[in-house]
Amino acid sequence: MPPARVLRATATAALLMAVTTAAATVLATSASAGTTLGASAAERGRYYGAAVAAGKLGDSTYVSILNREFNAITPENEMKWDATEPSQGSFNWSGGDRIVNHAQANGMRVRGHTLAWHSQQPGWAQNLSGSALRSAMVNHITQVATHYRGKIYAWDVVNEAFADGGGGGRRDSNLQRTGNDWIEVAFRTARAADPNAKLCYNDYNTDGINSKSTGIYNMVQDFKARGVPIDCVGFQSHLTNSAPSDYQANLQRFANLGVDVQITELDIAGSTQAGAYDAVTRACLAVSRCTGITVWGIRDSDSWRTGQNPLLFDSSGNKKAAYTSVLNALNSGPIISPSPSRPASPSPSSPASPSPSVSPAPGGCTATVSLQTWTGGFNATVRVTAGSTAIRSWSVRLTLPSGAVIVNTWNAAPSGTSGTVSFSNVSYNGQVSAGQYTEFGFQADGNGAAMSPTCTATS
Ligand code: 9MR
C-alpha cells in the first residue's frame, strides 16, 4: 500500500487537474514515485530523511522542501537530554512534540535522537556521577522513550560512546565512569519503555573499517550473543570529498551480525561532493539491511558545518548537483515492494545470572533503599554498608511492592523480577572495607513504596 501522504498527494493532484492543467502537472510530477528522494527511496524499501529543527517549521521554503522530498525526520537537537530534562525530573516535550506532530501529519517516520550521550547533557547531569548518574540516566531514558512510545521508528539509544584514535575502546565520560555496562543498561531500559522502536547505537568516524568501527562491531557482536537488545547501528557519515573505499563493506559486516544499518547524519563537504553522495547512496542500496539515509539538515544554510555547504539544497532552497546525484543513484536501484520495515520484535534479554550463595558473617552489612518514583515506575538505589569488618561478598534480600516488576538492574545480580528478590554483588563490588559502602540499583514497573532490605555478607 502506498504511504498515506502519496495517496493524499495523488488525490489532491486529481482534484487540481480538473481546475488547472498547469498546476496539476507540477503537483502530479512532484508526487510521483522516483521524482523525490523520499518517494524513490520508498520504492526501494527505504526511507530518506532529514534532521529538522523545530524552530524552522515556520519557514515556508524549508517546510515545502521537507514535505516534498523527505519521508523521515530526526530532531536535530530537540530530543537531547538538555532539551528534554532541563532540570532533574522535570521534562519539556515542546520541541520534540512539534517535530513528531509534523512528521505524523505528513506520514513521515521519526528517528529519535538521542537518549544517552556524553554531550549536550543538562548542567545537573554533568554534575552527577556514579550511581546517582546511572539512576538519572535510566530514569531519563524511561521517561523520554515512554513519552514517545509508539511514535518512534528507531532510537539512537546511545550516541558516540567510543573513543577516537586507535584503541577501539570506549570514550571517557561521566556515563562511562558509572561502569562499562552503562550502554547495555541504556538499551535494556529503552526496550522496556518502547518495545516496538528499533534500538540503534550511533557514532561518527565509523564509516570505514577502522579500529573505532571495529570496537563497535565487537560490542554489537557481544550484545547479540548475550541477548542485549540492539536492532541497528547508525553511521553518521560526516564526510569530506569522499566516502571511505570500504564504506559498503563496513555496512555489510555490521548487517551480517543481524542488525539493520542506517546512515544517520549524512553531510559531505568538498568539491567532489556530488560523486561522494552517489557512492554513499549506492552503498546503502547494495546492502539489503541498510534501511535508510538521513541528511543532517536541508539547505546549506541549515548545516552545523557553517560555510562548508555540505547538503543537497543551496541556501535558497535550490537543488544542487549533489541532489541530482542522490536522486539518480536512488532511481538506479532495483524497485522492491515498498516495505514499511516494521520495527523488529524485541529480542529476548539475557537471563539474570544465578546468585551465588552467601552465608552471614560477623560484622555483616546493612542496606538502605532510596527511591525515585514516577507514574508507573520507580528506580531504587540500594546502599550496602559493611559493618565493623571488611566484607568479601554481600547479598541483599527485599520484597518488592505488590505488582512491581524489575525491568533493569545495575551493579548487582538479581534472583528474580518480582516478589522477594535477592541481589548479589557482581565481580567488581563484592569487597567493601569496614564502614564503607557500595551501591546498586534497579528500575521497576509498578508503584514505588518503602522496602525493608536485609543484608548478609561474607568476610
Ligand atoms: O547539528 C547539531 C547542532 O545544532 C548542535 O549544536 C550540536 C551540539 O553538539 O549537535 C549537532 O548534531 C550532532 C549530533 O547530535 C550528533 N552527531 C554530531 C552532530 C554534529 O555535531
Side-chain angles (χ1 to χ4, degrees), residues 157-158 161-162 170 176 179-189 191 199-202 215-233 257-259 347-351:
V157 177
V158 170
F162 276 70
R170 300 281 183 85
Q176 180 62 30
N180 208 49
D181 63 343
W182 74 276
I183 297 183
E184 60 195 82
V185 168
F187 275 84
R188 290 188 199 281
T189 304
R191 179 69 95 217
L199 304 182
C200 303
Y201 176 82
N202 188 51
I216 295 162
Y217 178 91
N218 292 337
M219 178 187 75
V220 173
Q221 191 169 46
D222 169 58
F223 279 14
K224 294 301 268 187
R226 292 191 294 115
V228 177
I230 184 166
D231 306 307
C232 38
V233 176
L257 291 176
V259 287
S347 15
S349 40
S350 63

Side-chain angles (χ1 to χ4, degrees), residues 76-77 80 113 117 120 159-160 236 238 265 296 304:
E76 188 173 2
N77 290 297
K80 292 172 180 175
H113 175 82
W117 188 21
Q120 282 184 274
N159 195 42
E160 301 176 3
Q236 294 185 8
H238 296 295
E265 303 184 15
W296 205 242
W304 68 293

Side-chain angles (χ1 to χ4, degrees), residues 65-370:
I65 301 171
L66 172 64
N67 291 356
R68 185 186 73 219
E69 296 288 343
F70 297 96
N71 56 8
I73 292 184
T74 304
E76 188 173 2
N77 290 297
E78 291 77 355
M79 290 188 185
K80 292 172 180 175
W81 199 347
D82 60 351
T84 49
E85 196 180 0
S87 60
Q88 187 164 18
S90 153
F91 291 83
N92 180 349
W93 311 116
S94 57
D97 283 1
R98 223 174 137 197
I99 290 179
V100 169
N101 290 341
H102 185 93
Q104 291 193 323
N106 291 281
M108 301 169 176
R109 296 176 193 191
V110 179
R111 290 195 82 266
H113 175 82
T114 175
L115 294 171
W117 188 21
H118 67 274
S119 184
Q120 282 184 274
Q121 292 180 2
W124 63 264
Q126 292 174 32
N127 291 329
L128 292 181
S129 61
S131 56
L133 176 61
R134 177 65 69 89
S135 298
M137 177 193 83
V138 168
N139 185 47
H140 177 76
I141 293 172
T142 301
Q143 298 300 314
V144 177
T146 299
H147 178 79
Y148 289 113
R149 174 160 48 204
K151 300 178 175 175
I152 302 292
Y153 161 68
W155 265 114
D156 289 331
V157 177
V158 170
N159 195 42
E160 301 176 3
F162 276 70
D164 293 305
R170 300 281 183 85
R171 169 196 300 278
D172 177 50
S173 72
N174 59 347
L175 290 168
Q176 180 62 30
R177 289 192 291 273
T178 67
N180 208 49
D181 63 343
W182 74 276
I183 297 183
E184 60 195 82
V185 168
F187 275 84
R188 290 188 199 281
T189 304
R191 179 69 95 217
D194 186 355
N196 288 323
K198 291 192 183 227
L199 304 182
C200 303
Y201 176 82
N202 188 51
D203 215 327
Y204 66 92
N205 282 352
T206 53
D207 311 307
I209 298 176
N210 57 38
S211 56
K212 186 174 177 182
S213 62
T214 298
I216 295 162
Y217 178 91
N218 292 337
M219 178 187 75
V220 173
Q221 191 169 46
D222 169 58
F223 279 14
K224 294 301 268 187
R226 292 191 294 115
V228 177
I230 184 166
D231 306 307
C232 38
V233 176
F235 300 84
Q236 294 185 8
S237 302
H238 296 295
L239 303 171
T240 298
N241 282 324
S242 61
S245 57
D246 52 9
Y247 190 86
Q248 182 182 321
N250 190 45
L251 296 179
Q252 188 64 60
R253 74 171 173 153
F254 277 86
N256 292 347
L257 291 176
V259 287
D260 287 347
V261 294
Q262 298 169 358
I263 297 162
T264 51
E265 303 184 15
L266 181 63
D267 50 23
I268 310 178
S271 58
T272 52
Q273 168 183 83
Y277 267 110
D278 172 78
V280 167
T281 311
R282 287 174 194 272
C284 181
L285 290 174
V287 175
S288 60
R289 291 200 75 147
C290 181
T291 56
I293 299 175
T294 300
V295 282
W296 205 242
I298 295 179
R299 301 160 301 194
D300 284 334
S301 50
D302 301 317
S303 174
W304 68 293
R305 297 171 78 175
T306 308
Q308 296 184 39
N309 301 327
L311 293 172
L312 302 179
F313 296 87
D314 70 19
S315 297
S316 305
N318 301 309
K319 295 171 182 172
K320 295 166 58 181
Y323 169 91
T324 308
S325 179
V326 170
L327 186 60
N328 289 344
L330 286 172
N331 284 335
S332 76
I335 292 182
I336 55 178
S337 59
S339 105
S341 11
R342 300 303 308 155
S345 48
S347 15
S349 40
S350 63
S353 344
S355 51
S357 63
V358 176
S359 48
C365 56
T366 54
T368 53
V369 183
S370 57

